[in-house]
Amino acid sequence: MWAELEYSRGAKTQDLERFDRANLLFPLKRVNRTGPAYARIVMQNTTMEEAHYVLTRVLEQNPNHADLWFNLAQLDLKLGLQSEYEYALGRLQRLTPQNTYQAVWTPGAKGTP
Amino acid sequence: MGLFAFLGTVLYVPFLSAGATVPRWAFFAVALPAVLLWKDVDIPVRAALLAVAVGLTLFWSPNTNDGLFFYGQFLIGVAAFCLGRSLTDLRPIFIGVALALWANSLVVLGQLADVLPDRMFTGVTWASGLFGNYVPAGEAAAMVAIALVAYRLWWLIPGLLPSLAFPRGPVVALGVVGSLMLWRISRRGTAFVLLLTALLFGAMFWRQGFSTASFQQRLDMWRDVLPGLTWWGHGIGSFDFLYPTFQTHTNALQVRIEHPHNDLLNVLFEFGAAGGLFVALVVRRCWRVDPGPELYSFVVFVVCGTVSFPMFTPITWVLACLCLGCVYGDGYTLRHPVDVGGTGVFARGEDARSGAV
């Protein structure tokens, strides 16, 4: 219940620490485990490096989230992490064989063209 | 017992994102063991063995956290089963749940009248009531309604109708089981109930624009799940974790599916042939006993589970386990008792006619 409360308050106040706390309090629930990652993607009130780190950690425990791999691939691209990007894209492609993905490079943007 | 059932059904914490489920699970996790201790209920050996057997599947479940999470819910069901087995009937429980559903119906009516917001309680659907989604509310209402009919508690039924007004599956389940209930009494009654069910389903289907999208999505899910079935199963709690790796007919980037919307398929996926055997044994028991309100309610649960996931909603799961426990208990007798012969229970021939044992 406490974890649920933290998660709900985090969603309301956009406080990322509450999602982390919900995960610590009750990691048995998948929503709590992936909450820190989704919160950083949706709210975008954090640095790319921190979001990348959190996504990587969450995906280690929960590897079958296509949307998280998608966002991680995007972050890898923006951070210029070529091999990590290719790995994330490969994992994403395996989960969504019906989709094709294409990287689009915007001039001035940081990342792999 | 009625109060326990009422509280478990009506409990809703509006400011939580999972306010319809987590508080109820927490309540049952605490209240059920407390009731078992208070009433000094025996735990059948078979129930304990089943709990151990399911727990063993944690060893090959791909994600221990998920496995433990769902194992906790399973144990709540086992506790409910043990409690149900100790009771000869669940009339007070059905009354308690029915009264709670009356409260739910009031909230639904308030939402329909725009007195209350549609999704005020972080509901997934409109007219979400106290359940966050009209489907689990409808499933609970259908399970209770059939029992109220069997118990002749007619005065409680009107309050369930708003909860039953929107989901199609529970209405069909109620109609099918209701017609089965009437089969032995009146064939015309059976035909009437079936016709009424078809008309209601048609009206709901029309109201939803004759959309088959939800059914098509279910078919796509089932087509993905079937190739993933194995003899040993994947372990408890594995479906949510593994399904995206099988997902080809639906797009894993657009939709995250936590349950296959078919409880039997879920059991087979997670427990394999052993799960199928368990289901077969339950069906055998249900077939062999004299029908009663709890059995009808359980069958409604099973029929709802063909297109939904009432196993994963607190009130329907607990109610189903209570009903199943009751069916396995002393309150239900076999339709064709086994003649043990010799000095057994039933006298034979001349002695039987004379009444001597």
Side-chain angles (χ1 to χ4, degrees):
Chain A
M1 284 291 296
W2 187 2
E4 191 61 31
L5 194 62
E6 289 287 343
Y7 188 96
S8 304
R9 291 300 302 164
K12 203 168 176 75
T13 61
Q14 301 201 352
D15 181 357
L16 294 173
E17 276 184 18
R18 289 191 181 268
F19 291 98
D20 299 337
R21 217 170 296 144
N23 181 25
L24 268 173
L25 284 167
F26 195 69
L28 299 189
K29 199 176 168 201
R30 180 182 57 79
V31 169
N32 291 353
R33 292 198 304 274
T34 56
Y38 282 111
R40 282 162 175 83
I41 294 166
V42 170
M43 293 169 191
Q44 298 192 345
N45 54 352
T46 181
T47 61
M48 277 200 298
E49 286 77 8
E50 192 203 337
H52 184 273
Y53 172 75
V54 171
L55 253 72
T56 307
R57 290 293 303 276
V58 168
L59 280 166
E60 280 171 13
Q61 297 290 319
N62 311 276
N64 295 328
H65 284 252
D67 44 1
L68 289 180
W69 283 115
F70 179 82
N71 282 280
L72 184 63
Q74 280 193 324
L75 281 171
D76 288 330
L77 205 56
K78 288 176 186 173
L79 289 170
L81 303 169
Q82 175 84 27
S83 57
E84 286 87 344
Y85 161 73
E86 286 168 3
Y87 179 75
L89 196 63
R91 293 298 298 262
L92 175 62
Q93 197 72 73
R94 248 194 286 165
L95 288 171
T96 53
Q98 63 273 65
N99 296 351
T100 51
Y101 299 96
Q102 186 179 8
V104 177
W105 180 68
T106 309
K110 192 178 170 189
T112 311
Chain B
M1 293 305 299
L3 180 63
F4 157 78
F6 176 82
L7 289 174
T9 309
V10 82
L11 187 62
Y12 184 90
V13 182
F15 51 83
L16 294 182
S17 57
T21 52
V22 167
R24 288 182 171 109
W25 284 125
F27 173 79
F28 286 126
V30 171
L32 272 168
V35 170
L36 290 180
L37 287 170
W38 172 53
K39 293 179 77 71
D40 202 20
V41 172
D42 288 330
I43 310 294
V45 172
R46 282 178 288 184
L49 285 174
L50 180 67
V52 168
V54 170
L56 285 174
T57 66
L58 284 167
F59 286 105
W60 63 87
S61 184
N63 188 296
T64 310
N65 282 325
D66 280 342
L68 284 171
F69 181 71
F70 289 107
Y71 188 54
Q73 293 180 5
F74 172 76
L75 289 179
I76 289 172
V78 171
F81 174 88
C82 296
L83 178 61
R85 196 169 168 276
S86 71
L87 303 169
T88 51
D89 71 70
L90 301 184
R91 185 191 305 252
I93 289 178
F94 283 121
I95 292 173
V97 177
L99 291 172
L101 288 170
W102 273 68
N104 179 71
S105 294
L106 282 174
V107 173
V108 168
L109 290 172
Q111 289 172 320
L112 292 176
D114 283 329
V115 172
L116 298 167
D118 261 349
R119 294 169 206 246
M120 64 171 176
F121 295 148
T122 63
V124 175
T125 66
W126 55 283
S128 53
L130 300 172
F131 285 77
N133 185 327
Y134 58 62
V135 176
E139 288 165 354
M143 287 177 71
V144 170
I146 198 75
L148 293 179
V149 168
Y151 274 123
R152 310 244 189 308
L153 293 167
W154 313 108
W155 58 277
L156 280 169
I157 292 176
L160 304 182
L161 297 178
S163 300
L164 275 168
F166 304 104
R168 292 171 293 186
V171 167
V172 170
L174 193 54
V176 166
V177 179
S179 60
L180 284 173
M181 198 164 77
L182 283 173
W183 180 255
R184 294 196 303 177
I185 304 168
S186 161
R187 300 296 159 93
R188 277 192 195 172
T190 302
F192 173 73
V193 167
L194 284 174
L195 182 64
L196 184 65
T197 304
L199 286 172
L200 282 170
F201 180 82
M204 288 170 162
F205 198 32
W206 164 76
R207 194 181 59 206
Q208 289 168 3
F210 296 111
S211 168
T212 57
S214 65
F215 191 67
Q216 184 59 48
Q217 192 181 53
R218 281 163 173 76
L219 283 178
D220 289 338
M221 269 191 265
W222 299 338
R223 285 162 71 193
D224 284 336
V225 173
L226 286 172
L229 299 180
T230 61
W231 286 108
W232 287 107
H234 298 274
I236 187 166
S238 57
F239 181 85
D240 188 17
F241 186 84
L242 286 177
Y243 178 74
T245 62
F246 297 107
Q247 207 170 345
T248 51
H249 293 90
T250 49
N251 195 324
L253 203 54
Q254 292 174 344
V255 61
R256 171 136 203 119
I257 292 164
E258 296 179 346
H259 310 291
H261 286 67
N262 183 300
D263 282 342
L264 174 62
L265 214 50
N266 201 105
V267 168
L268 292 176
F269 184 90
E270 295 191 352
F271 304 111
L277 178 63
F278 174 76
V279 169
L281 289 172
V282 168
V283 168
R284 179 176 178 267
R285 174 69 185 185
C286 292
W287 184 257
R288 294 180 71 208
V289 295
D290 269 324
E294 291 77 19
L295 179 60
Y296 292 128
S297 184
F298 181 73
V299 176
V300 166
F301 167 83
V302 170
V303 175
C304 287
T306 57
V307 289
S308 182
F309 45 93
M311 243 173 42
F312 297 95
T313 313
I315 191 57
T316 46
W317 173 236
V318 168
L319 198 54
C321 291
L322 282 167
C323 290
L324 188 62
C326 203
V327 168
Y328 272 88
D330 294 334
Y332 274 74
T333 54
L334 297 176
R335 280 190 286 135
H336 303 292
V338 174
D339 184 351
V340 298
T343 56
V345 179
F346 298 95
R348 298 175 184 267
E350 291 296 326
D351 289 335
R353 282 196 290 276
S354 70
V357 177

